[in-house]
Amino acid sequence: MSHQYQDLISIFNQTFYSQYNTRLELGGDEPIYLPSDQNTLYHRIIFARGYYASAMHEIAHWCVAGPERRLLEDFGYWYEPDGRSAEVQAEFERVEIRPQAYEWILSISAGFPFTVSCDNLSGDVEPDRLAFMSKVHQEVIKLLEVGLPPRVKQLSDALRHFYQSPPLTEKLFVVC
């Protein structure tokens, strides 16, 4: 199955623009979330270089952010660039569990491969990718049991409809 970022832009914008005044847009080298301002009257999720996976990741962060955070550039979150210490990497992974769980759910909904991102290629510590993926997996299972948050469910349903993907079940989420 071919995954075109233009399809994801259309699906996201049709699903959320009217209700949340938010659009998904193609960007350059770095992804960013920009709230509306005097020049642009809508909020923008800008993903990197036309990468479908980048768009999914940025959408997941948008789904985590509450109303107040969606009024702040990059949701007001801190980001420590690549090259993190063990302590900073542990904190990075702790705050990434929920967004990456959402990203995994949305990726499966689109029939798109998911890979966790430990995002520390030149740090002092080699991240334990499998341990991190297990934590993300536990969060996914918990979300499937209690029910998806509204925005995640809306987009999951729209993606599954567009890509003709099956209903979400625990069996679709495999740690590897």
Side-chain angles (χ1 to χ4, degrees):
M1 175 183 309
S2 177
H3 289 85
Q4 304 297 319
Y5 72 82
Q6 298 92 334
D7 293 331
L8 186 53
I9 288 172
S10 294
I11 294 165
F12 181 91
N13 293 347
Q14 288 170 9
T15 303
F16 295 117
Y17 179 68
S18 64
Q19 185 176 3
Y20 292 97
N21 193 37
T22 303
R23 291 184 184 170
L24 180 64
E25 296 183 352
L26 171 62
D29 289 339
E30 294 296 325
I32 190 166
Y33 172 79
L34 298 171
S36 65
D37 58 27
Q38 300 86 347
N39 298 322
T40 307
L41 301 178
Y42 57 89
H43 311 298
R44 294 171 284 159
I45 302 169
I46 301 171
F47 64 99
R49 302 184 199 156
Y51 294 137
Y52 197 94
S54 173
M56 285 294 214
H57 187 77
E58 298 310 310
I59 290 168
H61 276 284
W62 178 80
C63 287
V64 170
E68 295 83 20
R69 288 232 183 237
R70 292 194 308 267
L71 298 176
L72 303 172
E73 183 173 318
D74 264 349
F75 313 110
Y77 296 141
W78 68 274
Y79 179 77
E80 183 79 24
D82 191 14
R84 294 183 284 276
S85 68
E87 295 80 24
V88 174
Q89 180 64 23
E91 178 62 13
F92 171 82
E93 290 179 13
R94 188 186 68 72
V95 300
E96 277 290 312
I97 291 171
R98 172 69 50 99
Q100 291 202 33
Y102 288 179
E103 181 183 352
W104 197 354
I105 290 166
L106 296 174
S107 294
I108 292 294
S109 298
F112 186 75
F114 171 76
T115 304
V116 293
S117 175
C118 297
D119 203 24
N120 197 27
L121 302 175
S122 64
D124 295 343
V125 62
E126 178 68 28
D128 186 340
R129 186 186 159 285
L130 190 55
F132 180 58
M133 187 165 192
S134 293
K135 291 174 185 175
V136 173
H137 182 261
Q138 290 171 2
E139 184 71 12
V140 166
I141 300 309
K142 184 169 58 173
L143 290 164
L144 292 176
E145 289 172 355
V146 301
L148 301 180
R151 286 179 286 151
V152 176
K153 182 174 182 346
Q154 278 180 275
L155 188 55
S156 173
D157 290 347
L159 291 167
R160 286 187 311 99
H161 176 78
F162 183 85
Y163 290 104
Q164 298 299 293
S165 300
L168 298 176
T169 65
E170 288 184 25
K171 290 186 240 178
L172 297 173
F173 299 89
V174 179
V175 177
C176 53

